[in-house]
């Protein structure tokens, strides 16, 4: 996911997770034993990794891997490099990955990993040694049929290539499916680079159709112009949406007549400068309060908070970042009738494409970019349709987030029941 912006709220993702689990518990009448199973991960691993630096000194980097739930299949989730990475954050993100895979109907459980490091401080050699050391420490706990890492904050295809190579050097066998998000030359999938963004565009299309809007003339503001936000703006522009504002860590630009997204996309790749296009300069705080049809937080968590939610003027919110809306802010938006398309649906294109990459690696049959895009769109449209059915069929499910959590929790618990890990009275309930 993009890492353009820093957190502005005080809640953690866990607050949202706990709130939604409580809501789903009331809607679905979950037993305490079922909630207990969902509130804690299956496995937590942490290792302090010593690395010799270029100057001969040794630094120690805390690292983590959380495998949250394996009922639906091998665990899946990214590895992030960031100074603020800690066990609680990784725990919460692994939980969200479990739900995201279930919402997208992918046969994986959720995981997450991380290293507490500022990668911008490392030389390329130090970064490679750290990445390889991570796999050396965790190789017994990952694998194509066990736990499949992927890129996340501040990690990319180059790092995934090092990790795959290290795993294969240790195990002595080819294992392309151990890591996803790899370069195409090493078994990566066509279309993976922009899959999260393409998935968000597909979901927004479905939402717009559902609520009776049209793409043409629908104004959009995108907070965050990293990989996810930039590709999303590009795809939305191509679909006829009117992208009027984008931002990065330095601030944003706004043009009520629409930004020249293709020109900005091409120029930004080389200059990282938003402010040469003649549009009005605004702050990230300003962007969140623009009077637009759709607000898209595509940076990081805790951007719409209790402190600023009253100023949000958008007609709808599409969450492309993980946890950009705090639980209290989410309640305020619901009370005001502003629908929120939740992150575990909106940004599920990335993990869906990772699943496709894993399938191609395990079958040794590789797909064209066009086929990947078609299959991604089909998978996410079906996921949206599932949530629509839940939301419209239930008198107690008010929001898209509640529908998504209900769908995910029921799917995970049903898998646990069939495995005999919970004794549900209604093992036939979803049959």
């Amino acid at each position: 996911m993009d890492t353009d912006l820093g957190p502005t709220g005080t809640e953690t993702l866990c607050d949202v997770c706990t709130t939604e689990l409580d809501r789903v518990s009331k809607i679905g009448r979950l037993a305490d034993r079922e909630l207990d199973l969902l509130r804690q991960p299956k496995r937590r691993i942490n290792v302090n990794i010593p690395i010799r630096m270029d100057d001969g000194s040794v630094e120690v980097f805390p690292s983590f891997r959380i495998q949250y739930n394996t009922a639906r299949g091998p665990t899946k989730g990214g590895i992030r490099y960031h100074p603020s990475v800690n066990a609680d954050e990784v725990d919460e993100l692994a939980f969200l990955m479990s739900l995201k895979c279930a919402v997208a109907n992918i046969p994986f459980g959720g995981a997450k990993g991380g290293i507490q490091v500022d990668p911008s401080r490392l030389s390329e050699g130090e970064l490679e040694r750290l990445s390889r050391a991570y796999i050396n420490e965790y190789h017994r706990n990952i694998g194509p049929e066990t736990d499949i890492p992927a890129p996340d904050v501040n990690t990319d295809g180059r790092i995934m290539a090092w990790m795959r190579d290290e795993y294969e050097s240790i195990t002595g066998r080819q294992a392309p499916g151990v890591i996803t998000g790899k370069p195409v030359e090493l078994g990566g999938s066509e279309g993976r680079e922009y899959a999260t963004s393409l998935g968000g565009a597909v979901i927004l299309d479905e939402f717009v159709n559902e609520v009776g809007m049209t793409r043409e003339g629908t104004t959009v503001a995108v907070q965050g112009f990293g990989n996810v936000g930039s590709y999303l703006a590009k795809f939305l522009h191509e679909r006829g949406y009117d992208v009027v504002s984008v931002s990065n860590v330095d601030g944003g630009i706004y043009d009520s007549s629409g930004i020249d997204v293709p020109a900005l996309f091409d120029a930004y790749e080389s200059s990282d400068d938003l402010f040469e296009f003649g549009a009005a300069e605004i702050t990230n705080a300003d962007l969140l309060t623009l009077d637009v049809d759709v607000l898209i937080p595509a940076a990081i968590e805790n951007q719409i908070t209790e402190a600023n939610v009253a100023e949000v003027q958008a007609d709808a919110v599409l969450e492309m970042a993980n946890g950009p809306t705090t639980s209290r802010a989410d309640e305020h938006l619901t009370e005001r009738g502003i629908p929120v398309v939740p992150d575990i649906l909106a940004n599920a294109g990335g993990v869906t494409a990772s699943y496709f990459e894993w399938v191609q690696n395990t079958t040794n049959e590789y797909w064209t970019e066009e086929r990947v895009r078609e299959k991604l769109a089909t998978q996410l449209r079906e996921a949206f349709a599932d949530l629509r059915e839940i939301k419209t069929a239930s008198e107690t499910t008010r929001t898209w987030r509640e529908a998504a959590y209900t769908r995910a929790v029921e799917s995970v618990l049903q898998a646990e029941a069939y495995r005999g890990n919970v004794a549900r009275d209604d093992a036939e309930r979803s049959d």
Side-chain angles (χ1 to χ4, degrees), residues 19 30 125 162 273 335 370 430:
T19 299
L30 302 183
W162 291 332
D273 186 3
E335 290 168 1
E370 181 180 5
S430 65

Side-chain angles (χ1 to χ4, degrees), residues 136-338:
N136 187 58
E137 294 291 352
Y138 290 89
H139 73 273
R140 296 177 184 84
N141 302 105
I142 67 172
E145 298 175 348
T146 307
D147 178 21
I148 305 105
D152 200 271
V153 171
N154 291 329
T155 56
D156 56 18
R158 175 186 55 163
I159 291 173
M160 297 304 106
W162 291 332
M163 289 184 169
R164 175 192 165 177
D165 183 70
E166 185 68 18
Y167 181 85
E168 292 177 342
S169 296
I170 293 169
T171 61
R173 58 185 175 84
Q174 292 284 326
V178 69
I179 297 278
T180 61
K182 306 178 295 295
V184 171
E185 294 80 2
L186 287 182
S189 177
E190 297 285 355
R192 176 63 181 83
E193 180 182 8
Y194 54 73
T196 302
S197 308
L198 179 59
V202 169
I203 292 298
L204 184 58
D205 286 347
E206 295 299 299
F207 172 79
V208 163
N209 291 337
E210 177 69 16
V211 300
M213 300 166 63
T214 60
R215 300 180 192 179
E216 292 73 19
T218 293
T219 55
V220 177
V222 181
Q223 184 204 39
F225 206 69
N227 184 69
V228 171
S230 60
Y231 271 108
L232 180 62
K234 178 176 182 288
F235 290 138
L236 295 183
H237 176 83
E238 291 171 353
R239 284 165 147 76
Y241 294 92
D242 195 2
V243 180
V244 297
S245 184
V246 298
S247 70
N248 64 13
V249 67
D250 297 316
I253 56 175
Y254 171 74
D255 187 336
S256 60
S257 63
I259 293 169
D260 186 350
V261 174
L264 176 59
F265 184 90
D266 291 340
Y268 192 78
E269 188 174 4
S270 59
S271 70
D272 288 352
D273 186 3
L274 294 174
F275 306 110
E276 59 184 40
F277 285 82
E281 296 184 16
I282 62 174
T283 67
N284 275 293
D286 292 335
L287 182 144
L288 293 171
T289 63
L290 291 174
D291 186 6
V292 293
D293 295 314
V294 183
L295 172 63
I296 305 179
I300 62 172
E301 64 267 18
N302 296 336
Q303 296 302 304
I304 304 175
T305 71
E306 195 171 20
N308 63 12
V309 66
E311 301 175 54
V312 172
Q313 300 183 69
D315 295 327
V317 176
L318 181 81
E319 294 185 330
M320 291 302 295
N322 285 325
T325 310
T326 66
S327 58
R328 291 188 181 92
D330 192 56
E331 292 170 3
H332 281 293
L333 293 174
T334 299
E335 290 168 1
R336 292 172 56 194
I338 299 175

Side-chain angles (χ1 to χ4, degrees), residues 311-384:
E311 301 175 54
V312 172
Q313 300 183 69
D315 295 327
V317 176
L318 181 81
E319 294 185 330
M320 291 302 295
N322 285 325
T325 310
T326 66
S327 58
R328 291 188 181 92
D330 192 56
E331 292 170 3
H332 281 293
L333 293 174
T334 299
E335 290 168 1
R336 292 172 56 194
I338 299 175
V340 178
V341 183
D343 48 3
I344 60 173
L345 173 65
N347 67 27
V351 71
T352 303
S354 281
Y355 166 58
F356 292 164
E357 181 176 332
W358 177 82
V359 170
Q360 293 170 80
N361 293 157
T362 54
T363 61
N364 204 29
E365 178 186 347
Y366 289 86
W367 308 338
T368 64
E369 183 176 0
E370 181 180 5
R371 185 179 180 192
V372 170
R373 292 176 65 129
E374 290 174 352
K375 289 178 70 67
L376 180 73
T378 298
Q379 187 99 5
L380 293 179
R381 288 184 186 121
E382 291 175 354
F384 186 91

